[in-house]
Amino acid sequence: MGNPLGKEHRLPLLLACLVLGLGLTAAVLGATRAAAPASVAGPYVDLRRVPPGPAEPAPGPGASTGRVTVECGRNEEGHWNEDNLVVSPGLRAGAHHTHAYVGNLSTDALSTDASLAGAATSCAGGDRSTYYWPVLRRTDRPGSGPHEGAAGHGNAGEILREVSVRVEFRGSPVSRVVAMPRFLRAITGDAVAYTAGGGTGVRARWGCSGLPDRSTTGYPRCPAGQLLTRTLVFPSCWNGLDTATPDHRSHLRFPSADGVCPQGTFPVPELRLSLAYAVAPGVPLALDSFPEQRHSPLTDHAMFVDVMTDERMGEVVACLNEGRDCRT
């Protein structure tokens, strides 16, 4: 009996098998890539091997050397959401990752100046400003609480609660400061720094509580018994006109390394957020981020809306300009 598949039928069959094989290979590779952890968390930085950073500029004769610390708690209320009032007002879940808050207890995407001004706050002294940043997670625990799986976009795991949150305003090393306008919006850091490249927008510094003169832009490995820290410094040179701009940044710029503001801007109180976490050595970390940013620590950022009354802001400015150390 002859071969039922003549020569004229063998070539199409071989081509069909080849196409099917390539399709199956692509599907397997795609599934493998999808299942792979989308993170660039490692390698971690041993902060003991990082040299001390440069000293801050020495204050000149006209400097405003005071400091104001606002006691706002450490988010004991569990105020989290996936909104970003500064960047995406009116858009629910517009951040695509989870933010943690202190200060104004009502802040979400639908907040208005009026609603913020009338809301409760976690800050002492009646400061209704809102301060917020992306949460930090440990990825070796799935977590079962609110927002520990709700953000999606690859952001999952147990949220690390802050051991302390320090809200501090500082003056200028070269001059007196002027008041921020009420409802000023501000942002520091770059949420897309990983894909943007260059690092010019990277502002957050990561560190360890026992090594305050050293910092890194990567995830630090701290010696046992020390807290992991995040420090986020906001721009402090205001254009004198706007409380917000379409790019969220051009109305408020950073001073130069020697503390001088760009031409056409005025020094306002410099906001610093200092966050601390109890993280055992070896715990895997992931900062909430957009999916394509892969949890890179370079993308750390924070936002602020000033809701202080004019009277309260005047007290902050007076404290800074008079060189006092004040606390509310």
Side-chain angles (χ1 to χ4, degrees), residues 110-155:
L110 304 183
S111 294
T112 64
D113 291 352
S115 70
L116 292 173
T121 180
S122 70
C123 297
D127 177 14
R128 291 180 171 84
S129 301
T130 182
Y131 310 87
Y132 60 103
W133 54 87
V135 300
L136 183 64
R137 302 177 189 263
R138 57 180 300 170
T139 57
D140 59 340
R141 293 181 181 174
S144 58
H147 303 282
E148 290 184 324
H153 302 283
N155 295 303

Side-chain angles (χ1 to χ4, degrees), residues 83-85 88-92 106-113 115:
D83 299 347
N84 191 334
L85 176 62
S88 305
L91 181 61
R92 290 286 196 189
S106 72
T107 311
D108 62 20
L110 304 183
S111 294
T112 64
D113 291 352
S115 70

Side-chain angles (χ1 to χ4, degrees), residues 125-184:
D127 177 14
R128 291 180 171 84
S129 301
T130 182
Y131 310 87
Y132 60 103
W133 54 87
V135 300
L136 183 64
R137 302 177 189 263
R138 57 180 300 170
T139 57
D140 59 340
R141 293 181 181 174
S144 58
H147 303 282
E148 290 184 324
H153 302 283
N155 295 303
E158 182 182 285
I159 293 175
L160 289 168
R161 303 295 296 262
E162 290 80 7
V163 173
S164 67
V165 175
R166 183 181 179 90
V167 177
E168 182 182 55
F169 291 91
R170 297 188 182 185
S172 163
V174 297
S175 69
R176 295 166 66 86
V177 296
V178 300
M180 292 179 178
R182 199 177 192 198
F183 304 118
L184 178 73

Side-chain angles (χ1 to χ4, degrees), residues 67-70 166-170 270-274:
R67 297 190 182 191
V68 176
T69 302
V70 185
R166 183 181 179 90
V167 177
E168 182 182 55
F169 291 91
R170 297 188 182 185
E270 178 193 79
L271 170 61
R272 294 188 177 210
L273 297 179
S274 302

Side-chain angles (χ1 to χ4, degrees), residues 2-27:
N3 188 347
L5 292 177
K7 292 181 179 179
E8 68 275 11
H9 298 294
R10 291 177 184 170
L11 183 58
L13 180 61
L14 289 172
L15 290 173
C17 290
L18 179 60
V19 170
L20 180 61
L22 289 173
L24 289 172
T25 301

Side-chain angles (χ1 to χ4, degrees), residues 111-291:
S111 294
T112 64
D113 291 352
S115 70
L116 292 173
T121 180
S122 70
C123 297
D127 177 14
R128 291 180 171 84
S129 301
T130 182
Y131 310 87
Y132 60 103
W133 54 87
V135 300
L136 183 64
R137 302 177 189 263
R138 57 180 300 170
T139 57
D140 59 340
R141 293 181 181 174
S144 58
H147 303 282
E148 290 184 324
H153 302 283
N155 295 303
E158 182 182 285
I159 293 175
L160 289 168
R161 303 295 296 262
E162 290 80 7
V163 173
S164 67
V165 175
R166 183 181 179 90
V167 177
E168 182 182 55
F169 291 91
R170 297 188 182 185
S172 163
V174 297
S175 69
R176 295 166 66 86
V177 296
V178 300
M180 292 179 178
R182 199 177 192 198
F183 304 118
L184 178 73
R185 268 75 168 158
I187 183 171
T188 185
D190 184 359
V192 296
Y194 176 67
T195 55
T200 55
V202 176
R203 294 290 176 178
R205 292 296 179 265
W206 299 73
C208 303
S209 58
L211 300 166
D213 60 342
R214 307 177 192 197
S215 65
T216 177
T217 56
Y219 292 119
R221 283 298 189 210
C222 296
Q226 294 189 21
L227 300 176
L228 180 149
T229 63
R230 295 162 65 185
T231 302
L232 297 131
V233 180
F234 283 73
S236 56
C237 300
W238 176 47
N239 70 2
L241 298 172
D242 304 301
T243 56
T245 44
D247 66 358
H248 316 297
R249 297 178 186 274
S250 57
H251 63 299
L252 197 61
R253 299 170 62 186
F254 283 93
S256 62
D258 59 3
V260 177
C261 281
Q263 186 175 4
T265 64
F266 306 90
V268 294
E270 178 193 79
L271 170 61
R272 294 188 177 210
L273 297 179
S274 302
L275 317 175
Y277 303 83
V279 180
V283 170
L285 302 172
L287 182 73
D288 264 29
S289 71
F290 296 117

